[in-house]
Amino acid sequence: KDVQKEREPHVYLSKEEVKEKIQSYNSSVTDKLKMTLNANGVYTGFIKVQMELCRPITVQSSQSQGRSTPSNQETAFYLPDGCVNTLHISSTNTVREVIEALLKKFFVADNPAKFALYKRCHKEDQVYTCKLSDREHPLYLRLVAGPKTEMLSFVLREHETGEVMWEAFSIPELQNFLRILDKEENDQLQILKNRYAAYRGKLEEALRGVLKPG
């Protein structure tokens, strides 16, 4: 069930409360991805983000990394569904910063404004998916929920169709999307042609058997 943007009040914890929660969190961790509390009160840790992208992403090749303008060394492709990535972040990092870091880690050239971070959680035997605001702090949410992804997980998606800022796409990206759509259309067309050709062959064979003299 998808719900609106996160509107739950942000509960501010004291340094002692944060310390206690981190100790409790680390005692429950099973994958060694523990949190660390620094002297200044900022803590660091890991979050896992599941990629649920319906549209192709544009990835930079090693030759085009670091360039500010698109090049023909960029490739658009569909990311496999269910891909999970792990990020090391701090309690000060916002949702927008997490999205930017995730895309940068994997050399994704697409504008971060095209994407949104969601949280998926269990409440009253139901699963809720809620879009987080850009000002939320994912590591805080992870700390409060505990390390179990069954209780809370993060998902990266594109904005809904009505929210897509098409002006954020470069011309090479749009051209890549069109090429992918053309290929998919041609593939589907060929499948249909082969299917009906097979039907036609069977019908003609049946007709020959019916019309055969004797």
Side-chain angles (χ1 to χ4, degrees):
K1 180 179 179 181
D2 285 2
V3 296
Q4 293 181 347
K5 279 190 177 182
E6 178 63 47
R7 289 177 178 167
E8 296 177 4
H10 193 296
V11 179
Y12 291 95
L13 304 176
S14 67
K15 189 174 180 178
E16 283 303 315
E17 288 174 324
V18 170
K19 183 177 179 180
E20 291 176 4
K21 280 192 172 293
I22 289 177
Q23 289 175 344
S24 175
Y25 183 97
N26 289 342
S27 66
S28 302
V29 167
T30 58
D31 54 9
K32 298 183 180 180
L33 300 181
K34 296 184 177 183
M35 293 195 187
T36 302
L37 178 62
N38 300 317
N40 60 0
V42 175
Y43 52 96
T44 59
F46 298 85
I47 62 169
K48 294 181 179 180
V49 181
Q50 183 170 345
M51 315 290 275
E52 292 185 356
L53 304 179
C54 299
R55 295 187 288 272
I57 59 173
T58 304
V59 177
Q60 296 176 329
S61 68
S62 57
Q63 290 84 2
S64 62
Q65 289 167 19
R67 295 181 183 176
S68 58
T69 56
S71 73
N72 56 8
Q73 300 296 325
E74 295 178 351
T75 304
F77 67 93
Y78 284 100
L79 196 68
D81 191 30
C83 178
V84 177
N85 294 298
T86 302
L87 282 179
H88 185 250
I89 63 173
S90 81
S91 56
T92 62
N93 289 134
T94 63
V95 164
R96 182 50 46 189
E97 290 171 335
V98 166
I99 293 174
E100 292 172 354
L102 186 62
L103 299 180
K104 183 178 180 180
K105 180 179 179 180
F106 295 95
F107 308 113
V108 177
D110 298 87
N111 191 322
K114 302 174 189 175
F115 303 93
L117 191 68
Y118 291 74
K119 75 171 185 178
R120 184 175 289 155
C121 55
H122 291 255
K123 289 183 180 179
E124 300 175 355
D125 297 325
Q126 292 193 48
V127 179
Y128 291 85
T129 303
C130 171
K131 184 164 70 173
L132 298 170
S133 70
D134 287 348
R135 295 184 299 275
E136 284 285 349
H137 297 86
L139 194 61
Y140 168 82
L141 298 175
R142 178 80 278 161
L143 175 63
V144 172
K148 293 184 179 179
T149 55
E150 295 84 2
M151 299 303 297
L152 172 74
S153 59
F154 295 104
V155 181
L156 184 73
R157 294 178 177 175
E158 301 96 342
H159 283 294
E160 298 298 329
T161 304
E163 301 176 356
V164 175
M165 295 182 292
W166 293 107
E167 63 274 13
F169 290 83
S170 66
I171 292 178
E173 285 178 316
L174 295 173
Q175 290 173 337
N176 275 330
F177 295 164
L178 288 175
R179 280 194 290 269
I180 290 173
L181 291 174
D182 286 341
K183 183 180 183 303
E184 290 183 345
E185 183 179 1
N186 290 333
D187 290 345
Q188 291 299 317
L189 184 59
Q190 190 59 48
I191 290 172
L192 287 174
K193 287 182 177 179
N194 293 339
R195 182 183 302 169
Y196 283 103
Y199 289 159
R200 182 183 183 88
K202 290 179 180 179
L203 285 172
E204 290 176 344
E205 185 179 350
L207 282 171
R208 286 194 296 270
V210 171
L211 300 176
K212 187 176 181 180

